[in-house]
Amino acid sequence: MMARKLPAKDVVIIGLGWTGSILAYELASAGLDVIAIERGPWRDTATDFPPSYSPDELRYAIRLDLFLRPEQDTLTIRNNLSQTALPIRHFVSFLPGNGVGGAGVHWNGQTWRFLPTDFRLRSHLEQRYGKAALPEDMTIQDWPVSYDELEPYYDRFEKLCGTSGKAGNLRGEKQPGGNPFEGWRSSEYPTPPLKQTLGPTLFAEAARKLGHSPFPQPASNLSEAYTNPLGLRIGQCTYCGFCERFGCGNYSKSSPQVCVLPALMRLPNFSAQTECEVTRINLDSAGKRATGVTYVDTSGEEWEQPANIVLVCAYALFNVRMLLLSGIGKPYDGQSGQGVVGRNYAYQTTSSVGVILKDKILNPFIATGAHGMMIDDYNGDNFDHSGLGFVGGGYMGAGQTNARPIQTRPVPRGTPKWGTQWKKATAETYQRGFSLSTHGSSYSYRDCYLDLDPTYKDRFGRPLMRMTFDFHENELKMSAYLTDRLAEIARAMDPVEITANPRKGPYNVNIYQTTHNTGGTVMGADPATSVVNRFCQSWDVHNVFVPGGASVFPQNHGYNPTNTVGALAYWTADAIRQRYLKNPGPLA
Amino acid sequence: MTATSISRRALLASAASIVVTSVSANARIITGAMPWSPSAANPPRPWRPGPWQFFTADEAATVEAAVDRLIPPDEHGVGGKDAGCAVFIDRQLAGPYGRAEGLYMRPPFMAGAATQGNQSPDAPAALYRAGLRSLADHVKANFGGASFAALSPQDQDAVLSGLEKGSIELKNINSADFFNLLLQNAQEGYFADPIYGGNRDMAGWKLVGFPGTRYDYRDWVERHNEPYPLPPVAITGRADWTVR
């Protein structure tokens, strides 16, 4: 049956999470007629995650009630090209969001900027260490945008969120108490740092003793009430310990629900359509211009939504799939290394050090997604990599996100998994045990990519996306080095016991790591190695933009992605408003 | 555990200031304001007391005995049985979890590398049914026709340990996988909110000192090394708040 055609809009947005809501607000404010089509349900604080039942570990953290259901969409996974990819039937390693707000509902609020050198990664490393220092199959590349260009947009996203933190570099001047390694900031954080519990405080003391520079992690769980530039009020965080995997019942974790939607929904020229899944972006007969999108509603009926501009604002992985299914850009072929869509998929190389202290009362349940004390001494190229045999790095430290007891019950090494001894150790260690972590980079490689699976299909019969990914020696060495440094600090905390867990290969989809999937629609200066140009505009179809989803990252750096995602959303919105609308066509 | 969309429909219909245009029964456009109205909610579904919903009487006896060895009663608090872990597992298996609702269950099912995750075509309810039947057969054959529940605690521990290590092989199911599923669900029952039938009297939370759903610790963040003074609270409150 033919899809029924709806009246045309100026802009159609696929997905109403952080990037979709920011772009919608910016473009609808400029007078454009905007519709966002979201495949999940509408969600708001009062209805879907009020304090009365939001703190429910089983429902949200274990049964994953707010996340994408694999029956709706998932992907297949293999570690290398010789394996047969099999479907992820139940998400564990990473947890894609679903519904209005997207991953902005369930994130932890860690709001980091990338380092200035991260944006010119390949040139910087080749200049400092020589071309031979990089593995031949490593496909890292410079970003097509500099830190200096992006700084005002980081600033805008942080002000949208009201991020709590302490600047370490204000317009080039080092600031005591902040991160001495960060890029320059045009202004102080919108709100002061969160208060620290005992665990992070002890970590910071130990790190300082060893000559490191600890600082409070930048957090979008707010230290005090704040009104953002859209006039929306964000509440003070109560340290409830139900952030990641949960919606915030206090309006104090920044999210599209709290920071954008109440203002956006008042704009009469914006509308949201929920529980409708876009199945493809439609192109004109020459394949050079998008004519709109086709979507399917919950009854299975197909609709065509014509539009002049199509914004691909789904979760990073599904941005890649949308372009592959729509035939936009040349698909990447892992055998030949040719093509671009799906190329340079990367992840995050995390590790931890478990610490058990003597006679301490940590009250570990007093927590937020992003409070904590960190050091950045071993991130990016903040330290000399000469002779280390790897490049890259990450931040590390003590961030107590929760101590919800189904998942968080530290016990000494060698404790049985059940029975009398297990129970005794569980009771005795809960207040004294916690975990330090490293958050390492994941550089891109020729054999780590996304394409369409030859076997498995979704409910509409479309191929699932296939992920081919494993950790490479560079990342495993980096993780071992960082974890050793973290263990040194842990030893300085006078522990009873520490357990270092550096990241080990192969990549295991059954172990939770992070929901930081990057790349696949990489931004770049050269169409031979990128899918979108420096304004996140498709090289092939000029009225299609991928405005800042982490799919545009050329590789992943040693930080959480959301701040960069938000900054790029504003960057793209400005490019569309100030350049594209005046002269629709390729911007680069 | 997923609430119906009745509240959502009611909410959309009742919000007069919002323009809700239906282009068909299922394609809904929201514009003009946040689609919110009082009393709309998506609350959890509490467990209901009553007979077993999934387990047979024999299966229930086995699971109650097993959870009481996995989490034994002792001076630190009640065991898995009295905390309601078997009831919790029963209600979970009778619901969406037991049916693997929401998971990707399309064929082909192929065994893969361990790194590729669970590829079983069986939902948890089917795994329990097969695992408990095989376990009953094993115990009957090796302990003179007895049931698991009738064994001494030492023998029960030996059987559980054999499953955990894989030294006891079960028909039709990997014994270690079955053990891990049972252990995972027993611990979920011991530490989940009591609204799902386990963690009775918040025994699991009292064991470790978790205050539950208090949701506001602002006055205690910087009181380092001081025990948090308030007892736990669950989604439905505390037993001593209820008139008996």
Side-chain angles (χ1 to χ4, degrees), chain B:
Chain B
M1 223 178 296
T2 310
T4 65
S5 60
I6 292 167
S7 55
R8 184 175 310 284
R9 278 199 292 276
L11 144 186
L12 286 166
S14 67
S17 62
I18 307 165
V19 183
V20 178
T21 318
S22 287
V23 290
S24 82
N26 293 290
R28 198 174 282 120
I29 298 171
I30 304 160
T31 188
M34 296 283 274
W36 178 84
S37 73
S39 307
N42 190 5
R45 287 184 188 164
W47 79 289
R48 297 265 174 259
W52 300 105
Q53 293 182 0
F54 174 79
F55 292 135
T56 64
D58 286 348
E59 288 172 338
T62 300
V63 173
E64 288 202 306
V67 298
D68 229 29
R69 296 315 303 156
L70 297 175
I71 309 173
D74 58 19
E75 73 275 18
H76 297 289
V78 298
K81 179 181 173 181
D82 285 344
C85 293
V87 174
F88 167 87
I89 297 173
D90 177 71
R91 299 306 195 263
Q92 290 290 307
L93 293 176
Y97 171 76
R99 297 188 293 271
E101 219 171 89
L103 305 191
Y104 185 83
M105 296 301 273
R106 287 171 194 274
F109 288 91
M110 293 186 274
T115 57
Q116 292 175 294
N118 184 7
Q119 296 296 328
S120 169
D122 295 320
L127 293 172
Y128 268 87
R129 192 116 284 154
L132 289 170
R133 190 191 309 122
S134 301
L135 176 61
D137 290 348
H138 169 86
V139 173
K140 202 171 168 185
N142 288 277
F143 293 89
S147 70
F148 181 84
L151 301 183
S152 70
Q154 290 72 22
D155 284 343
Q156 288 174 341
D157 283 0
V159 170
L160 290 169
S161 190
L163 297 176
E164 181 183 25
K165 297 191 181 90
S167 60
I168 293 176
E169 284 184 27
L170 297 180
K171 275 174 293 173
N172 307 323
I173 191 163
N174 178 298
S175 53
D177 288 352
F178 177 57
F179 175 86
N180 286 330
L181 183 67
L182 180 64
L183 178 62
Q184 163 72 20
N185 293 151
Q187 293 183 343
E188 285 171 2
Y190 204 70
F191 294 108
D193 194 281
I195 201 166
Y196 301 114
N199 192 11
R200 206 165 284 162
D201 295 327
M202 296 179 268
W205 293 353
K206 288 172 186 165
L207 176 75
V208 294
F210 178 65
T213 66
R214 292 217 165 256
Y215 221 65
D216 189 352
Y217 298 112
R218 278 174 292 188
D219 57 351
W220 218 264
V221 179
E222 293 182 313
R223 297 186 70 159
H224 294 171
N225 255 327
E226 290 183 55
Y228 183 73
L230 301 177
V233 175
I235 288 174
T236 47
R238 293 177 52 76
D240 50 356
W241 295 353
T242 311
V243 179
R244 287 169 200 258

Side-chain angles (χ1 to χ4, degrees), chain A residues 56 79 238 270 423 456-457, chain B residues 31 77 104 108 115 188 196 215:
Chain A
D56 182 343
N79 288 121
T238 62
F270 173 75
K423 198 175 169 196
Y456 291 95
K457 306 273 193 280
Chain B
T31 188
Y104 185 83
T115 57
E188 285 171 2
Y196 301 114
Y215 221 65

